[in-house]
Amino acid sequence: MKNSEFVAQYLHRDEDGEFVLNSSPCPFLNEDNTCLVYEERPKACKEYPHTNRKNMHGILNLTLQNTLICPAVFEIFKDFEKDFRK
């Protein structure tokens, strides 16, 4: 598949001008939640859930949204809460 065909079929630009998938969950997930394109997955997928960035405050809204779908991110935020209460 050509890049332009992939973009037209699976992606759109968000309010920040970034490409994002048209649908959720990802159309490349198998029924058992394994990735169909794992070896060729995009950088955003490789870095998911984006909790180890140096500039976390820049993606705080995305990270907060991820707490609703990713148990690991939820646990990380619970740990953050403990630190902020000290």
Side-chain angles (χ1 to χ4, degrees):
M1 176 181 279
K2 293 180 182 179
N3 286 343
S4 59
E5 293 171 352
F6 179 85
V7 169
Q9 184 170 347
Y10 294 106
L11 304 176
H12 67 276
R13 290 196 184 265
D14 66 8
E15 60 275 354
D16 297 323
E18 302 289 333
F19 282 112
V20 295
L21 288 170
N22 291 333
S23 63
S24 182
C26 177
F28 303 107
L29 287 179
N30 284 311
E31 289 183 20
D32 64 354
N33 272 350
T34 57
C35 180
L36 287 167
V37 295
Y38 187 81
E39 296 300 321
E40 301 297 326
R41 70 196 187 280
K43 182 180 177 185
C45 295
K46 290 176 184 175
E47 294 177 350
Y48 185 81
H50 314 287
T51 54
N52 61 347
R53 288 192 177 192
K54 292 178 183 175
N55 185 12
M56 279 293 294
H57 71 275
I59 60 161
L60 189 56
N61 287 336
L62 171 65
T63 307
L64 286 171
Q65 290 174 2
N66 285 340
T67 63
L68 302 174
I69 56 174
C70 180
V73 177
F74 181 77
E75 292 299 321
I76 289 168
F77 265 72
K78 280 177 36 179
D79 284 345
F80 285 163
E81 178 185 24
K82 291 175 192 172
D83 290 340
F84 284 114
R85 289 186 184 269
K86 290 181 181 177

